[in-house]
Amino acid sequence: MTELLLHRVRRQLETLKLTTARDRLDEHLQRAAQRELSHLDMLDALFGDELATRAERGVVTRTNLAHFPTLKSLDTFDVDAQPSLDRKALAELKNLAFIERAENVVLLGPPEPAT
């Protein structure tokens, strides 16, 4: 592959605002050559990276726009501070199976343990 062609492809990705694809192009080309991937497989991986980055960026943007006073997640939940909590139920929430079953989940209580 000529440097001119590579430069042109990078510029085109930049123009299309596919900056993650532009930044990771060399990495994907190298991986495709090493693993003898087809052009379509390489493009699939490259565009998959672009879409994943955009999804992550979207979550960050929406979270910032929500102006949450603090960010909480199940991973940071202090289970020991709530001894009456059913740990099996908490693990069930983490696997998101309630979404497939179309069930609602409501968590009640103060956002911080009482001090």
Side-chain angles (χ1 to χ4, degrees):
M1 179 176 307
T2 68
E3 285 299 315
L4 180 61
L5 179 58
L6 194 55
H7 178 71
R8 192 169 68 222
V9 169
R10 281 193 195 107
R11 273 197 7 244
Q12 291 168 339
L13 291 170
E14 175 80 28
T15 301
L16 292 168
K17 299 189 183 339
L18 300 173
T19 55
T20 299
R22 180 206 60 212
D23 294 344
R24 296 186 181 163
L25 179 62
D26 292 336
E27 171 189 333
H28 281 279
L29 288 170
Q30 187 177 38
R31 186 178 304 134
Q34 289 171 346
R35 297 181 185 170
E36 297 180 7
L37 298 176
S38 71
H39 300 297
L40 197 54
D41 286 332
M42 193 277 298
L43 286 173
D44 180 51
L46 184 66
F47 293 145
D49 278 358
E50 181 71 38
L51 289 171
T53 299
R54 287 180 181 211
E56 289 171 23
R57 217 178 289 136
V59 168
V60 169
T61 299
R62 288 187 298 279
T63 301
N64 289 337
L65 289 173
H67 300 290
F68 293 125
T70 58
L71 296 178
K72 301 288 182 179
S73 71
L74 289 176
D75 292 331
T76 62
F77 185 77
D78 185 5
V79 180
D80 296 329
Q82 201 55 267
S84 64
L85 182 70
D86 180 2
R87 292 173 192 257
K88 186 177 177 183
L90 184 63
E92 177 76 13
L93 288 177
K94 288 182 180 182
N95 73 22
L96 304 178
F98 66 92
I99 295 173
E100 286 184 17
R101 296 189 305 262
E103 296 174 351
N104 295 321
V105 174
V106 178
L107 302 174
L108 300 174
E112 298 288 329
T115 55

